[in-house]
Amino acid sequence: MTGPTGSEPRSPAVQVAWADAREALRERGLRWTPQRRLILEVLAETSGHITGAELVERCRARDGATIGSTVYRTLDVLEELGYVRHSHGSDGREEYHVLPLAEHAHVRCLGCGAAWDLSWEDARELAERLEARNGFKVALGHVMIGGYCPGCEPAAP
Amino acid sequence: MTGPTGSEPRSPAVQVAWADAREALRERGLRWTPQRRLILEVLAETSGHITGAELVERCRARDGATIGSTVYRTLDVLEELGYVRHSHGSDGREEYHVLPLAEHAHVRCLGCGAAWDLSWEDARELAERLEARNGFKVALGHVMIGGYCPGCEPAAP
DNA sequence: GTTGTTCTTGCGAGACATTGCAATAACAAG
DNA sequence: CTTGTTATTGCAATGTCTCGCAAGAACAAC
């Protein structure tokens, strides 16, 4: 694991990665709209994970006219472009992982809800094993490991 | 992996495991109702995985008066008793794993949607590693590994 | 600037799941 | 069998996310 993720502002070095989003869209014949600009802005200030509903709410805070379905559809587009990656939290809600510089697996505590990224070594080992034994190609962005961190205990059985 | 799971009828040997459900409920001061009886019946004929919505539908096929929320609440109770275990499929829908004789992790192909159980050795290795390195106790029932099986390829990037 | 193509948006409907609350029914006790 | 306790149910409202479709906007070409 590489440490818990939160929602602190991104470093300037990382922010630039969003700068070419408009370019990336245009290259694919997609369009740059005020709605997408707003969503990108909010995402650029987000680090770690964010749920779909949270993103809708933060966008709505800046522009009361924000429409939920537009946000979700934009998220789909951004995922295709590689800017976000989504999975599902333990409650089944969409959870978007922002700017996956390297795709990685998620580890989540079922007790306190904290989330980490699986360390690269652990991930690689898991992936190599499954591929070698079964020819199964692991998609690290789609791996969720639930459990309990030190301090959090499973509910009594 | 131990092979794909489906929805064939259970063997008689496994069916008996459901017989004491009524007993298990009563021991906890919970009640045996016609609704729960129906849900148990349907589950007893199910093997592998089933989504919440599917279960509701199958119950409704036998009793048109079946109420969704009752089914979901019963599922919660059964999960506490250990008769089912739930996780979330790649589309975020609830997915109940029936009668988890041994808790195990899920492997799912993002291409064809097929699901397997992670082999016990692979699972144990993953669990031991995370526990040793980070003190993180893996809950195998809450592990989802996405990827692509031989024959299914990731969508072009 | 005008025009045309087509990607996007807004909006409403719908699927799935959760929750609060009042009415009901299961169970134990007498 | 009757009664009292309280777990459960049914229902309605809410929340999250998806989808179809017509109107609107972005972009390129002229």
Side-chain angles (χ1 to χ4, degrees):
Chain A
M1 295 187 268
T2 58
T5 53
S7 290
E8 320 79 39
R10 309 194 66 82
S11 73
V14 174
Q15 284 179 6
V16 302
W18 294 96
D20 46 46
R22 178 172 185 174
E23 201 52 34
L25 284 170
R26 191 161 313 169
E27 276 170 13
R28 300 217 180 184
L30 305 179
R31 291 171 188 172
W32 182 247
T33 69
Q35 293 86 345
R36 287 181 176 172
R37 191 172 132 302
L38 172 60
I39 292 166
L40 265 300
E41 266 177 34
V42 173
L43 284 176
E45 294 169 4
T46 301
S47 139
H49 304 90
I50 185 173
T51 66
E54 271 168 11
L55 181 56
V56 171
E57 195 168 341
R58 292 192 200 171
C59 286
R60 190 117 55 193
R62 300 204 189 183
D63 177 357
T66 299
I67 300 299
S69 55
T70 296
V71 173
Y72 287 105
R73 280 186 289 220
T74 298
L75 245 9
D76 288 345
V77 171
L78 292 179
E79 184 156 23
E80 276 181 26
L81 296 181
Y83 285 88
V84 300
R85 195 73 63 184
H86 94 284
S87 57
H88 296 275
S90 52
D91 57 356
R93 287 193 192 144
E94 303 248 293
E95 199 153 84
Y96 287 84
H97 183 244
V98 177
L99 243 184
L101 298 172
E103 217 178 25
H104 53 259
H106 294 163
V107 179
R108 173 178 302 277
C109 176
L110 302 171
C112 61
W116 295 266
D117 300 337
L118 187 65
S119 74
W120 189 79
E121 310 95 71
D122 288 343
R124 208 172 72 101
E125 206 164 79
L126 171 68
E128 279 181 357
R129 181 169 302 282
L130 278 181
E131 171 128 31
R133 289 203 196 156
N134 314 289
F136 187 87
K137 291 193 194 60
V138 173
L140 285 180
H142 293 270
V143 173
M144 233 303 290
I145 297 175
Y148 297 89
C149 60
C152 286
E153 287 306 314
Chain B
M1 295 188 268
T2 57
T5 53
S7 291
E8 320 80 37
R10 311 193 67 80
S11 73
V14 174
Q15 283 179 6
V16 301
W18 293 96
D20 46 46
R22 179 172 183 174
E23 201 53 34
L25 284 169
R26 192 162 311 170
E27 276 171 15
R28 300 215 181 186
L30 305 178
R31 291 170 189 174
W32 182 246
T33 67
Q35 293 85 347
R36 287 182 178 171
R37 190 171 133 302
L38 172 60
I39 293 166
L40 265 299
E41 266 178 34
V42 174
L43 284 177
E45 294 169 5
T46 302
S47 141
H49 303 92
I50 186 173
T51 66
E54 271 167 12
L55 181 56
V56 170
E57 197 167 340
R58 292 192 200 171
C59 286
R60 191 118 55 196
R62 300 205 189 182
D63 177 356
T66 299
I67 300 298
S69 56
T70 296
V71 174
Y72 285 105
R73 280 186 289 219
T74 297
L75 246 9
D76 287 346
V77 171
L78 292 179
E79 184 156 23
E80 276 181 25
L81 295 181
Y83 285 88
V84 301
R85 196 72 62 185
H86 93 284
S87 57
H88 296 275
S90 51
D91 57 355
R93 285 191 195 148
E94 303 251 293
E95 201 153 82
Y96 287 84
H97 183 245
V98 177
L99 245 183
L101 298 172
E103 217 178 27
H104 53 259
H106 293 164
V107 179
R108 172 178 302 277
C109 176
L110 301 171
C112 61
W116 296 266
D117 300 336
L118 186 65
S119 73
W120 188 79
E121 310 95 72
D122 287 344
R124 208 172 72 101
E125 206 164 81
L126 172 68
E128 279 181 357
R129 181 168 302 284
L130 278 181
E131 171 128 31
R133 288 202 196 159
N134 315 289
F136 187 87
K137 292 193 194 61
V138 173
L140 286 180
H142 293 271
V143 172
M144 234 301 291
I145 297 174
Y148 297 88
C149 60
C152 287
E153 287 304 315

